[in-house]
Amino acid sequence: SYVLTQPPSVSVAPGQTARISCGGNNFGSKIVHWHQQKPGQAPVLVVYDDSGRPSGIPERFSGSNSGNTATLTISRVEAGDEADYYCLVWDTDSDHWVFGGGTKVTVL
Amino acid sequence: EVQLVESGGGLVRPGGSLRLSCSASGFIFSNYSMNWVRQAPGKGLEWVASISTRSTYIYYADSMKGRFIISRDNSMKSLFLQMNSLRVEDTAIYYCVREFISTRSYYFDYWGQGILVTVSS
């Protein structure tokens, strides 16, 4: 089955930029979506279709996808951005949705 | 306002069965594919199953195939998950998730609050 790889954790100081990677085999053909999950809450979509931003999501959240890696970038990080972040793709070979293992963002 | 409300969770013995329901409101339910996603305690998100608008296309994660059955009733605006032969490792919060079709792809745009299923003797 298809595997998405994310770093387990990322630490960042307030006001700085956090970058979370997500990769897999033949990744260039995949379209990536990102969800944020705060403790005790349901996930929330923060980026869709590699770089789209849903209404209500701050412009500080952006996404990119090139080569074998997709990246979620959080600019001017705030304490409220502390959460787990998951990448998600549809694997056409298996007809399965696949989540990355998740990255815990800690604001120092 | 889009709302997805799960129900039917609880404690069940290993080998037992449970049926989850998800009641949808605030959108035309029959226009959207729907999914179940779960999260074991302290673990990441795991996709469980997907069902298309008219139940024509149904997909399952490998570990759930043959034990879980996803279904929907568009007239009742409801999504279901019949879980059989439950195992301790099926213990998780189960989320009902709407799938949105964009110009490029499809993605999960709304999640329910989740319902806890505990499998234990």
Side-chain angles (χ1 to χ4, degrees):
Chain A
S1 58
Y2 193 76
V3 176
L4 290 176
T5 301
Q6 296 181 236
S9 62
V10 167
S11 297
V12 58
Q16 299 304 303
T17 298
R19 294 181 179 85
I20 304 165
S21 63
C22 174
N25 286 337
N26 297 318
F27 200 71
S29 63
K30 305 278 189 232
I31 297 174
V32 184
H33 319 289
W34 293 89
H35 290 85
Q36 173 197 67
Q37 186 181 33
K38 295 181 179 180
Q41 297 184 20
V44 171
L45 179 71
V46 292
V47 167
Y48 65 92
D49 288 352
D50 294 334
S51 58
R53 192 172 47 249
S55 61
I57 300 301
E59 292 183 4
R60 301 183 298 102
F61 288 83
S62 62
S64 63
N65 185 2
S66 65
N68 281 327
T69 304
T71 303
L72 174 68
T73 302
I74 311 173
S75 304
R76 302 180 299 283
V77 166
E78 302 174 357
D81 298 331
E82 198 162 88
D84 294 322
Y85 292 83
Y86 297 89
C87 58
L88 171 67
V89 303
W90 173 255
D91 178 35
T92 54
D93 291 334
S94 62
D95 288 332
H96 282 26
W97 284 104
V98 180
F99 284 98
T103 298
K104 182 177 182 59
V105 170
T106 300
V107 181
L108 301 171
Chain B
E1 178 194 5
V2 172
Q3 285 197 327
L4 300 168
V5 179
E6 301 92 343
S7 61
L11 175 64
V12 62
R13 304 290 189 216
S17 297
L18 207 58
R19 189 191 195 212
L20 303 183
S21 299
C22 170
S23 179
S25 60
F27 65 101
I28 301 174
F29 181 73
S30 58
N31 285 355
Y32 293 85
S33 292
M34 298 294 295
N35 292 262
W36 289 99
V37 174
R38 72 182 184 181
Q39 187 171 37
K43 302 297 184 182
L45 300 173
E46 180 182 24
W47 171 74
V48 172
S50 174
I51 186 167
S52 61
T53 55
R54 298 181 182 181
S55 305
T56 305
Y57 301 100
I58 291 176
Y59 306 107
Y60 296 97
D62 294 345
S63 61
M64 272 67 88
K65 199 167 186 178
R67 298 190 300 126
F68 290 9
I69 301 171
I70 188 173
S71 62
R72 64 190 296 162
D73 185 329
N74 287 341
S75 66
M76 294 179 55
K77 302 179 185 178
S78 294
L79 176 71
F80 306 101
L81 185 68
Q82 176 67 42
M83 302 185 293
N84 301 320
S85 303
L86 282 163
R87 306 166 180 167
V88 171
E89 54 266 35
D90 293 320
T91 295
I93 295 173
Y94 286 74
Y95 294 99
C96 171
V97 187
R98 191 179 86 164
E99 188 173 307
F100 181 84
I101 299 177
S102 71
T103 54
R104 290 189 65 204
S105 74
Y106 21 87
Y107 52 86
F108 298 166
D109 64 342
Y110 283 96
W111 298 64
Q113 281 306 300
I115 190 82
L116 178 62
V117 171
T118 303
V119 184
S120 174
S121 55

